[in-house]
């Protein structure tokens, strides 16, 4: 395993981050493909054996049961100081706004619930899951800074945002002497490279770590034509992201398969080896042992500059999808998120 400092923080993380969205009670949310606690524990245990120390979850994943599974597994399998635990919080709900709950109070409430779910005294990386147009960013940043000062959070990050939003938030934090975002978790893989327009240059300039999700495009970059999985068949969010561009993406997927054959490796290794040359630590979901095992072996494959160019050559710009497609202010917008039964990515 290789390790890297996470941006401007003191967090030393594995180059592969285990994405825990697939862990949780499948009856407690729309993700019917999630795995139970026993299976989740087995995968976490294997990840630890392979040197993975970075685990990413969220309060929104299957109504908090992902956090619960992850917390119980890590408490029994590892020393707290040996792992880096990241979790995420949602925007304020309409009920909170109506009740006058401030952004600072919202962050505290969300964090306390996540700590309860995890069974931990602190999280290493606390991530704002998406931009909240109904709450002043000053309130969010101050709330997150309060959590750092209280010792409940070691560093903070953001997900699903535009570069201008990240820059604005960090400028506000800098002006007030608050903790700044050290990482950004966006949608980035060989099939979706829109982050390269503005986010990647910003992060390179300010030493902000890229920890992208959907590293394998919902499994599409790991499977040959005709191969499928339960998630690919049932994950409506991934279908919405990739089905419309399946034809143009297929050209790139074919090149991934070609390089895999040339080097005698898996498509997973090729797709992740490409991404590992671009980012600090990709978030790789795992619902089977071979998922995490395959991800870790990607570190052994070093693609040449010609390989990288060959994989990138046929990319065609994509429209924004998922949460980022909704990242815009609406005149009559109301907050409708809740901590249960939500899919955020």
């Amino acid at each position: 395993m290789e390790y890297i400092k996470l941006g401007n923080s003191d967090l030393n993380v594995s180059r592969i981050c285990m994405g825990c969205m697939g862990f949780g009670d499948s009856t407690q949310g729309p993700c019917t493909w999630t795995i139970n606690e026993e299976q989740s524990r087995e995968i976490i245990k294997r990840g630890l054996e392979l040197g993975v120390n970075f685990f990413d979850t969220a309060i929104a994943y299957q109504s908090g049961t992902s956090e619960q599974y992850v917390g119980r597994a890590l408490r029994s399998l590892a020393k707290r100081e040996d792992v880096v635990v990241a979790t995420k919080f949602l925007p304020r709900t309409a009920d909170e706004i109506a009740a006058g709950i401030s952004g600072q109070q919202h962050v505290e409430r969300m964090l306390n619930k996540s700590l309860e779910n995890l069974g931990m005294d602190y999280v290493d990386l606390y991530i704002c899951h998406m931009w909240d147009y109904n709450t002043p960013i000053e309130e969010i940043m101050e709330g997150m800074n309060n959590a750092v000062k209280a010792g409940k959070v070691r560093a903070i990050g953001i997900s699903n945002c535009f570069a201008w939003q990240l820059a604005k938030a960090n400028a506000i934090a800098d002006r007030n002497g608050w903790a700044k975002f050290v990482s950004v978790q966006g949608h980035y893989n060989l099939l979706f490279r829109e982050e390269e327009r503005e986010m990647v240059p910003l992060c390179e300039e300010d030493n902000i770590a890229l920890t992208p999700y959907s590293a394998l495009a919902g499994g599409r970059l790991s499977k040959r034509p005709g191969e499928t999985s339960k998630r690919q068949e049932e994950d409506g969010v991934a279908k919405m992201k990739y089905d419309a561009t399946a034809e143009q993406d297929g050209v790139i997927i074919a090149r991934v398969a070609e390089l895999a054959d040339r080097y005698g490796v898996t498509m997973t290794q090729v797709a992740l080896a490409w991404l590992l040359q671009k980012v600090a630590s990709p978030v790789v979901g795992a619902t089977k042992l071979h998922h995490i095992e395959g991800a870790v072996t990607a570190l052994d494959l070093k693609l040449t500059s010609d390989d990288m160019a060959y994989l990138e050559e046929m990319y065609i710009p994509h429209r924004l999808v998922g949460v980022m497609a909704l990242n815009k202010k609406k005149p009559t917008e109301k907050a409708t998120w809740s901590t249960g039964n939500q899919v955020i990515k």
Side-chain angles (χ1 to χ4, degrees), residues 119-131:
M120 296 177 177
D121 296 326
Y122 67 93
V123 294
D124 300 278
L125 181 65
Y126 200 40
I127 301 170
C128 178
H129 212 149
M130 66 189 68
W131 195 262

Side-chain angles (χ1 to χ4, degrees), residues 18-249:
M18 183 179 291
C20 303
M21 186 179 179
F23 305 160
D25 185 342
S26 61
T27 68
Q28 295 299 309
C31 297
T32 58
W33 46 269
T34 58
I35 59 176
N36 64 35
E37 186 162 6
E38 181 180 355
Q39 295 168 313
S40 301
R41 177 188 168 87
E42 183 181 15
I43 291 170
I44 291 171
K45 181 174 184 292
R46 184 59 179 144
L48 290 166
E49 292 170 349
L50 294 169
V52 174
N53 76 341
F54 192 13
F55 299 85
D56 175 84
T57 183
I59 197 169
Y61 297 164
Q62 300 302 93
S63 302
T65 57
S66 173
E67 288 182 324
Q68 292 166 15
Y69 290 7
V70 170
R72 283 194 284 264
L74 290 178
R75 293 199 310 271
S76 66
L77 295 171
K79 294 180 180 179
R80 179 63 186 89
E81 62 271 21
D82 291 341
V83 292
V84 176
V85 178
T87 194
K88 304 184 268 306
F89 68 93
L90 292 165
R92 282 193 302 169
T93 64
D95 288 343
E96 284 181 307
I97 293 172
I101 301 298
S102 69
Q104 294 94 329
Q105 292 170 317
H106 170 72
V107 172
E108 182 179 17
R109 285 155 58 105
M110 288 280 94
L111 176 58
N112 287 341
K113 182 60 180 177
S114 285
L115 291 174
E116 178 186 331
N117 286 340
L118 290 163
M120 296 177 177
D121 296 326
Y122 67 93
V123 294
D124 300 278
L125 181 65
Y126 200 40
I127 301 170
C128 178
H129 212 149
M130 66 189 68
W131 195 262
D132 183 355
Y133 283 100
N134 293 300
T135 305
I137 187 59
E138 291 83 357
E139 294 186 13
I140 298 297
M141 298 306 291
E142 185 173 15
M144 298 184 84
N145 184 68
N146 290 342
V148 173
K149 289 197 302 181
K152 293 181 177 182
V153 170
R154 293 179 63 194
I156 63 172
I158 190 169
S159 181
N160 296 304
C161 70
F162 292 113
W164 72 262
Q165 293 170 327
L166 172 54
K168 176 180 179 178
N170 272 354
I172 289 169
D174 189 53
R175 187 161 63 242
N176 287 281
W178 297 336
K180 296 195 291 186
F181 291 133
V182 303
S183 66
V184 59
Q185 189 177 129
H187 181 198
Y188 186 31
N189 57 52
L190 260 172
L191 302 185
F192 192 89
R193 292 168 47 203
E194 301 309 298
E195 291 285 78
E196 294 176 2
R197 295 175 183 272
E198 295 189 4
M199 185 62 79
V200 169
L202 171 65
C203 291
E204 290 176 350
E205 178 71 18
D206 291 349
N207 192 34
I208 298 169
L210 289 156
T211 61
Y213 63 81
S214 201
L216 294 171
R220 285 155 180 79
L221 284 165
S222 65
K223 291 180 173 56
R224 296 171 186 272
E227 294 181 334
T228 187
S229 67
K230 182 177 181 182
R231 178 175 182 180
Q232 279 186 260
E233 293 170 357
E234 299 182 8
D235 188 348
V237 175
K239 284 177 175 292
M240 174 270 296
K241 287 180 180 178
Y242 299 108
D243 280 6
T245 56
E247 184 175 349
Q248 67 192 73
D249 294 343

